[in-house]
Amino acid sequence: MRVVSGSRKGTPLKSLPGNLTRPTSDKVKESLFNIIGPYFDGGIAVELFGGSGSLSIESLSRGADQAYIFEKNPKACSIIRDNVEKCRFTDQVHISRNDARNAIRALPADIQIDLLFIDPPYAETKFYDLAERIAQAGMLSERAIIICEHEKQLTLPDAYQEFQKTKNPIYGNSAISIYMK
């Protein structure tokens, strides 16, 4: 696993050994970022299930200003910290060892999220409702993109508030549902 493009292109990233986390493959990550826009002009990324932090790191490498990463596993948090330090993004990343369900309370009250990544363990389908809760809380910017990675058999809602599902590409056993205004 590595940073696919941008200012930190090619930087190798670590992930937790075993099957406790399921990092997004480089192929899927590259395809995803080609869909949502190869490069960004600022903005805030929020990754609710950090794992290795690779989606936030990729966003920063491609021009996002800041990232907030939530991960409740302490070992995964340590790996995220290592990856962030290796990529020299320590001043731009806020790592919260916290359950994703606490994100609304843990994020700054006036935050305007531009990229919201939701990639929970596949068996935990209840967590996709966090997109609805964050949209209801008014924490998404006008240009926000919600990205949900899930098993291809799972069908997510057509919309979260005013954010409509615009794409749903499938990669092997994984699918990505992308929502925009």
mmCIF file of all heavy atoms in Angstrom, residues 112-114 140-145 162-163 180-181:
data_model
loop_
_atom_site.group_PDB
_atom_site.id
_atom_site.type_symbol
_atom_site.label_atom_id
_atom_site.label_comp_id
_atom_site.label_asym_id
_atom_site.label_seq_id
_atom_site.Cartn_x
_atom_site.Cartn_y
_atom_site.Cartn_z
ATOM 1 N N GLN A 112 -16.844 22.339 8.179
ATOM 2 C CA GLN A 112 -17.500 22.122 6.896
ATOM 3 C C GLN A 112 -16.672 21.085 6.147
ATOM 4 O O GLN A 112 -15.619 21.391 5.590
ATOM 5 C CB GLN A 112 -17.614 23.429 6.102
ATOM 6 C CG GLN A 112 -18.648 24.379 6.681
ATOM 7 C CD GLN A 112 -20.059 23.805 6.553
ATOM 8 O OE1 GLN A 112 -20.649 23.835 5.489
ATOM 9 N NE2 GLN A 112 -20.600 23.271 7.646
ATOM 10 N N ILE A 113 -17.163 19.864 6.163
ATOM 11 C CA ILE A 113 -16.449 18.719 5.597
ATOM 12 C C ILE A 113 -16.620 18.714 4.082
ATOM 13 O O ILE A 113 -17.723 18.864 3.568
ATOM 14 C CB ILE A 113 -17.001 17.406 6.194
ATOM 15 C CG1 ILE A 113 -16.832 17.399 7.714
ATOM 16 C CG2 ILE A 113 -16.339 16.198 5.553
ATOM 17 C CD1 ILE A 113 -17.650 16.321 8.422
ATOM 18 N N ASP A 114 -15.510 18.513 3.377
ATOM 19 C CA ASP A 114 -15.535 18.429 1.912
ATOM 20 C C ASP A 114 -15.494 16.987 1.422
ATOM 21 O O ASP A 114 -16.059 16.669 0.383
ATOM 22 C CB ASP A 114 -14.365 19.223 1.325
ATOM 23 C CG ASP A 114 -14.473 20.690 1.685
ATOM 24 O OD1 ASP A 114 -15.431 21.337 1.229
ATOM 25 O OD2 ASP A 114 -13.612 21.187 2.432
ATOM 26 N N LEU A 140 -21.586 19.256 6.451
ATOM 27 C CA LEU A 140 -21.065 19.033 5.104
ATOM 28 C C LEU A 140 -21.106 20.328 4.307
ATOM 29 O O LEU A 140 -22.112 21.043 4.321
ATOM 30 C CB LEU A 140 -21.885 17.952 4.387
ATOM 31 C CG LEU A 140 -21.855 16.569 5.028
ATOM 32 C CD1 LEU A 140 -22.846 15.636 4.336
ATOM 33 C CD2 LEU A 140 -20.449 15.980 4.980
ATOM 34 N N SER A 141 -20.022 20.624 3.601
ATOM 35 C CA SER A 141 -19.975 21.828 2.775
ATOM 36 C C SER A 141 -20.880 21.653 1.551
ATOM 37 O O SER A 141 -21.345 20.549 1.260
ATOM 38 C CB SER A 141 -18.532 22.097 2.330
ATOM 39 O OG SER A 141 -18.137 21.180 1.328
ATOM 40 N N GLU A 142 -21.106 22.733 0.840
ATOM 41 C CA GLU A 142 -21.929 22.689 -0.376
ATOM 42 C C GLU A 142 -21.312 21.774 -1.438
ATOM 43 O O GLU A 142 -22.020 21.178 -2.219
ATOM 44 C CB GLU A 142 -22.099 24.093 -0.963
ATOM 45 C CG GLU A 142 -23.075 24.950 -0.191
ATOM 46 C CD GLU A 142 -24.491 24.393 -0.246
ATOM 47 O OE1 GLU A 142 -24.972 24.082 -1.345
ATOM 48 O OE2 GLU A 142 -25.117 24.276 0.824
ATOM 49 N N ARG A 143 -19.995 21.673 -1.447
ATOM 50 C CA ARG A 143 -19.310 20.852 -2.457
ATOM 51 C C ARG A 143 -18.899 19.478 -1.916
ATOM 52 O O ARG A 143 -18.141 18.759 -2.556
ATOM 53 C CB ARG A 143 -18.093 21.600 -2.985
ATOM 54 C CG ARG A 143 -17.026 21.826 -1.922
ATOM 55 C CD ARG A 143 -15.838 22.563 -2.446
ATOM 56 N NE ARG A 143 -14.789 22.569 -1.436
ATOM 57 C CZ ARG A 143 -13.536 22.833 -1.672
ATOM 58 N NH1 ARG A 143 -13.149 23.119 -2.873
ATOM 59 N NH2 ARG A 143 -12.654 22.818 -0.703
ATOM 60 N N ALA A 144 -19.421 19.120 -0.768
ATOM 61 C CA ALA A 144 -19.018 17.873 -0.102
ATOM 62 C C ALA A 144 -19.304 16.648 -0.966
ATOM 63 O O ALA A 144 -20.264 16.613 -1.741
ATOM 64 C CB ALA A 144 -19.709 17.740 1.240
ATOM 65 N N ILE A 145 -18.447 15.659 -0.780
ATOM 66 C CA ILE A 145 -18.606 14.351 -1.411
ATOM 67 C C ILE A 145 -18.570 13.318 -0.292
ATOM 68 O O ILE A 145 -17.662 13.332 0.547
ATOM 69 C CB ILE A 145 -17.486 14.060 -2.423
ATOM 70 C CG1 ILE A 145 -17.419 15.163 -3.486
ATOM 71 C CG2 ILE A 145 -17.692 12.693 -3.082
ATOM 72 C CD1 ILE A 145 -16.190 15.064 -4.381
ATOM 73 N N GLU A 162 -29.736 15.915 1.143
ATOM 74 C CA GLU A 162 -29.728 16.393 -0.243
ATOM 75 C C GLU A 162 -28.572 15.822 -1.072
ATOM 76 O O GLU A 162 -28.392 16.185 -2.227
ATOM 77 C CB GLU A 162 -29.717 17.929 -0.290
ATOM 78 C CG GLU A 162 -28.468 18.552 0.273
ATOM 79 C CD GLU A 162 -28.557 18.890 1.766
ATOM 80 O OE1 GLU A 162 -29.352 18.275 2.505
ATOM 81 O OE2 GLU A 162 -27.809 19.759 2.198
ATOM 82 N N PHE A 163 -27.809 14.922 -0.504
ATOM 83 C CA PHE A 163 -26.677 14.310 -1.207
ATOM 84 C C PHE A 163 -27.150 13.025 -1.892
ATOM 85 O O PHE A 163 -27.516 12.057 -1.233
ATOM 86 C CB PHE A 163 -25.523 14.041 -0.241
ATOM 87 C CG PHE A 163 -24.910 15.312 0.281
ATOM 88 C CD1 PHE A 163 -25.444 15.944 1.390
ATOM 89 C CD2 PHE A 163 -23.835 15.884 -0.363
ATOM 90 C CE1 PHE A 163 -24.911 17.140 1.855
ATOM 91 C CE2 PHE A 163 -23.285 17.077 0.092
ATOM 92 C CZ PHE A 163 -23.829 17.702 1.204
ATOM 93 N N MET A 180 -23.183 13.192 -3.881
ATOM 94 C CA MET A 180 -22.907 14.629 -4.060
ATOM 95 C C MET A 180 -24.235 15.375 -4.103
ATOM 96 O O MET A 180 -25.271 14.788 -4.367
ATOM 97 C CB MET A 180 -22.150 14.866 -5.354
ATOM 98 C CG MET A 180 -20.839 14.112 -5.466
ATOM 99 S SD MET A 180 -20.141 14.218 -7.125
ATOM 100 C CE MET A 180 -19.210 15.702 -6.946
ATOM 101 N N LYS A 181 -24.185 16.692 -3.881
ATOM 102 C CA LYS A 181 -25.396 17.520 -4.028
ATOM 103 C C LYS A 181 -25.758 17.605 -5.480
ATOM 104 O O LYS A 181 -24.932 17.648 -6.357
ATOM 105 C CB LYS A 181 -25.152 18.912 -3.469
ATOM 106 C CG LYS A 181 -25.501 19.015 -2.022
ATOM 107 C CD LYS A 181 -25.624 20.448 -1.605
ATOM 108 C CE LYS A 181 -26.141 20.497 -0.190
ATOM 109 N NZ LYS A 181 -26.283 21.826 0.305
#
